[in-house]
Amino acid sequence: MNIIKLLVVALLVSTTAFAKTSKKNEKPNIILIYADDLGRGMLSTYGQKYITTPNIDRIADFGMRFENAYGCNYCAPARASLLTGMHDARRNLFNISTAGIYMNLDNGMSLQEIKDEIHDVMIPAKPNDVFLAEVAKKAGYATAEFGKIDWGFATTPERVARHGWDYHYGFYDHQRCHGFYPPFLFENGEKVDIPGNTYVDCGLTNMVESPEGYKARWDMTGKAQYSEDLIVDKMMEWMDDHHKNKPEQPFFAYFPSQLPHGPIAVPAVHPEVKNNPDLTEMEKEYASMIKYLDNSVGQIFAKLEEQGILDNTIIIFTSDNGHEVYARQPGHTDTKKNMETGETYNDVHSRFLSDLSNDVFDGNNGMSGLKRANWEGGTRVPLFWFWQGNIEAGSSSDQRVANYDILNTVAELMGQDQEKGKDSKSYAKTLLGGKSKAHDYIVLSSRTMGPSIVTQDGWKMKYHIKGNSFQLYKLDDDYKELNDLAMKYPEKLETLKAILLKECGGDWQNGLGPVKVKMASQQKAKKKKH
């Protein structure tokens, strides 16, 4: 009898333990790693020959890679589009602020004054607006953000919280993100001073190589703590705390890194490139920033393995926009003109290509254009999804997707209904080996050129507003966008023009992306200067 009782107790204990495990694993944790200005050609999984990126490659090699994924044309619209699940040719939906107002904190302006100015000019969220992190909160997730600002060029803790983040740590001003040694960051709205960092501009460095620039970059006075280290350490701390205190609650963590956005700054040149005779000093430093980002991804993997939750965590890796060349040097590299002929690119008949401008890294992976342009090199980004045992290792998809699709994709993976009224379209079934209903087309803006549209079957039409010219390409046959088919297929051109104009709300100017607005103190400063 005692033996039977013991067996019953053991069975109950076993059942209870299984129930707890099942509850803990009912929904996957999700970590979204959002690189900054990372062209896919900088990754060794795409053939980068000067550096290896083993940790980022691990996501691609043991998960699914999307060969036709789109971010936006530059940072601020990309972040707004990601969080709202809407394309960025919508000036009535969201605007962006100018940057730099937080440079005035403790120098004539209080935090409250700064917040008031930002709130005065930014389009406020409507009561029924749903953001990416709120989708996770609806599903019972803890949400946290670590790193670069989540919207626009200046934000506030109130706006960050409205977007659905329970916890947030990092920058609130894009201009300060251009330096990597901040004298302060913010944690849940509270200013956190960083000992040893003394530069108001966070240690901003130069964009073009020179002897003076090299000396300034490596003068480490007032540069005690590198922001990527601070942010990743805080993320690891938060994950430890969550694992200890709320292990049964799934989490959604968003890591918008500053890396590898320039100007170039890194604590040390990585051994992998330090003695490479084929690279300039600035190119070695830029490569080291990529290695630093890869190391951050490695730390995330290590933490998940340490906590025993890697098998139930989805890792998403992508970038906000296409490649930018930050290792510039007179006579060696130029983003605006052909180094062989001296011709200045007009972005209609001529455009940036890595071999013509001597980007030794070929960071845009052989595509035309860079960040801010509506060429593929400005908008097509790396996108990898990892979920051990659920997403087939080494799989790939040619389905055309956009980063604004992440919102409804995670909603489906979390067991939530699709958010209505969004441009976001879930591709969760594709991730899990099935077939998702794909977009008919993807819409993109460009602040320097104008809007573009890419259809699921590979037609691309782009509009250059300044020159009032339309171009048509078949991407599957023309990876570099060298063969304009507008004259050959006028009916296709007119069809896509009508669709794109409608998506721009009937006004081509919307295709330049969100309006950038200045705050009162910035307008006063400009008047005073003149």
Side-chain angles (χ1 to χ4, degrees):
M1 195 69 168
N2 290 337
I3 293 175
I4 293 173
K5 283 183 178 180
L6 286 170
L7 287 172
V8 171
V9 170
L11 181 61
L12 287 171
V13 170
S14 175
T15 303
T16 302
F18 178 78
K20 285 183 178 178
T21 301
S22 297
K23 185 176 181 183
K24 179 180 177 181
N25 295 322
E26 186 178 350
K27 293 179 179 177
N29 306 305
I30 299 181
I31 297 176
L32 170 56
I33 305 168
Y34 200 58
D36 198 351
D37 289 5
L38 179 71
R40 65 186 200 175
M42 295 306 302
L43 304 175
S44 48
T45 191
Y46 274 107
Q48 177 53 233
K49 62 183 180 180
Y50 289 105
I51 52 172
T52 59
T53 51
N55 298 300
I56 298 172
D57 293 357
R58 182 180 177 184
I59 304 173
D61 296 343
F62 292 92
M64 178 177 284
R65 54 193 283 166
F66 284 82
E67 300 299 347
N68 298 299
Y70 292 86
C72 292
N73 75 110
Y74 78 111
C75 305
R79 291 154 207 278
S81 179
L82 174 76
L83 295 189
T84 60
M86 305 296 282
H87 70 64
D88 64 344
R90 296 182 176 277
R91 289 189 161 183
N92 63 321
L93 182 65
F94 46 74
N95 60 358
I96 56 178
S97 66
T98 48
I101 192 167
Y102 278 90
M103 307 283 274
N104 298 321
L105 187 59
D106 298 334
N107 185 29
M109 291 189 74
S110 68
L111 178 58
Q112 189 59 53
E113 288 172 323
I114 289 172
K115 293 195 298 183
D116 288 344
E117 286 204 14
I118 294 171
H119 293 155
D120 281 346
V121 300
M122 295 299 289
I123 296 174
K126 299 177 182 66
N128 60 343
D129 284 345
V130 178
F131 301 97
L132 176 61
E134 289 187 301
V135 171
K137 286 175 72 69
K138 283 185 180 182
Y141 279 63
T143 61
E145 175 193 13
F146 307 88
K148 193 167 180 175
I149 59 174
D150 71 347
W151 187 302
F153 285 137
T155 193
T156 68
E158 289 81 9
R159 288 179 64 83
V160 175
R162 174 61 183 87
H163 296 155
W165 304 110
D166 297 324
Y167 175 91
H168 45 99
Y169 177 86
F171 290 90
Y172 285 170
D173 189 306
H174 185 90
Q175 187 169 325
R176 298 184 70 250
C177 295
H178 290 172
F180 288 81
Y181 298 93
F184 63 86
L185 293 171
F186 286 95
E187 184 172 22
N188 290 336
E190 297 295 322
K191 180 171 173 262
V192 179
D193 292 326
I194 310 300
N197 288 356
T198 61
Y199 287 92
V200 173
D201 63 3
C202 304
L204 185 70
T205 55
N206 53 304
M207 291 284 286
V208 180
E209 184 63 299
S210 67
E212 297 77 18
Y214 177 83
K215 183 178 179 181
R217 290 198 306 277
W218 290 106
D219 180 356
M220 302 307 288
T221 307
K223 303 176 186 176
Q225 301 190 61
Y226 194 59
S227 54
E228 182 81 354
D229 291 330
L230 293 164
I231 290 162
V232 173
D233 285 351
K234 188 62 71 170
M235 184 177 181
M236 300 297 102
E237 181 184 307
W238 183 88
M239 290 175 66
D240 281 335
D241 182 69
H242 183 83
H243 186 68
K244 178 181 178 181
N245 297 310
K246 299 179 181 179
E248 294 184 354
Q249 182 184 22
F251 67 81
F252 178 61
Y254 173 44
F255 172 39
S257 175
Q258 291 167 269
L259 294 172
H261 195 298
I264 291 171
V266 71
V269 173
H270 196 277
E272 195 167 282
V273 293
K274 187 168 185 170
N275 297 313
N276 191 321
D278 297 328
L279 299 177
T280 67
E281 289 304 312
M282 212 173 198
E283 288 166 349
K284 292 176 184 178
E285 293 167 30
Y286 183 69
S288 299
M289 293 175 80
I290 307 291
K291 293 293 294 184
Y292 223 97
L293 174 63
D294 187 70
N295 181 67
S296 296
V297 175
Q299 288 179 262
I300 291 170
F301 266 115
K303 181 59 67 176
L304 294 170
E305 289 170 329
E306 174 192 316
Q307 294 177 347
I309 58 173
L310 178 61
D311 62 343
N312 196 39
T313 300
I314 295 171
I315 302 175
I316 312 165
F317 182 92
T318 188
S319 179
D320 55 355
N321 48 253
H323 181 57
E324 178 62 288
V325 178
Y326 286 109
R328 303 175 190 173
Q329 192 162 333
H332 178 72
T333 308
D334 196 309
T335 60
K336 303 297 183 184
K337 65 182 181 181
N338 185 317
M339 293 293 292
E340 297 175 3
T341 65
E343 174 193 17
T344 298
Y345 301 128
N346 62 23
D347 273 327
V348 178
H349 306 295
S350 61
R351 81 298 307 273
F352 175 93
L353 287 166
S354 294
D355 55 343
L356 300 182
S357 288
N358 196 33
D359 176 21
V360 297
F361 296 112
D362 188 24
N364 64 5
N365 200 219
M367 294 180 282
S368 288
L370 295 170
K371 170 183 176 179
R372 299 185 187 87
N374 59 19
W375 299 105
E376 291 291 282
T379 55
R380 207 192 298 193
V381 296
L383 175 63
F384 316 131
W385 285 69
F386 170 97
W387 189 10
Q388 192 170 296
N390 294 277
I391 296 174
E392 183 183 353
S395 57
S396 65
S397 174
D398 290 328
Q399 182 176 333
R400 284 185 166 83
V401 300
N403 278 350
Y404 54 76
D405 292 326
I406 289 175
L407 184 145
N408 268 328
T409 302
V410 299
E412 184 170 350
L413 292 170
M414 292 171 176
Q416 296 294 103
D417 292 335
Q418 296 288 280
E419 292 294 335
K420 305 296 184 184
K422 299 287 188 183
D423 296 319
S424 181
K425 186 181 286 291
S426 173
Y427 50 85
K429 291 180 179 63
T430 299
L431 289 167
L432 301 178
K435 190 172 182 180
S436 302
K437 182 172 171 49
H439 280 292
D440 292 331
Y441 52 80
I442 288 165
V443 174
L444 302 155
S445 76
S446 166
R447 67 174 296 190
T448 60
M449 298 172 68
S452 59
I453 183 171
V454 183
T455 67
Q456 194 59 229
D457 58 354
W459 286 100
K460 177 177 179 179
M461 189 200 74
K462 55 196 296 291
Y463 180 37
H464 196 289
I465 289 179
K466 187 176 180 180
N468 191 29
S469 64
F470 293 89
Q471 294 169 294
L472 182 69
Y473 299 94
K474 192 69 166 71
L475 296 177
D476 295 341
D477 305 321
D478 187 13
Y479 181 75
K480 289 188 174 184
E481 299 173 276
L482 298 177
N483 185 23
D484 182 5
L485 301 173
M487 297 291 288
K488 188 174 182 180
Y489 297 99
E491 291 183 2
K492 174 63 71 173
L493 180 70
E494 290 304 315
T495 298
L496 294 181
K497 279 171 68 173
I499 295 172
L500 184 55
L501 183 58
K502 182 180 178 181
E503 289 292 334
C504 289
D507 184 353
W508 288 119
Q509 293 299 308
N510 289 330
L512 295 171
V515 172
K516 188 186 291 187
V517 292
K518 285 189 175 182
M519 287 157 277
S521 62
Q522 294 172 322
Q523 291 171 347
K524 289 176 184 176
K526 184 177 181 180
K527 286 180 181 178
K528 188 175 180 180
K529 185 176 180 181
H530 289 283

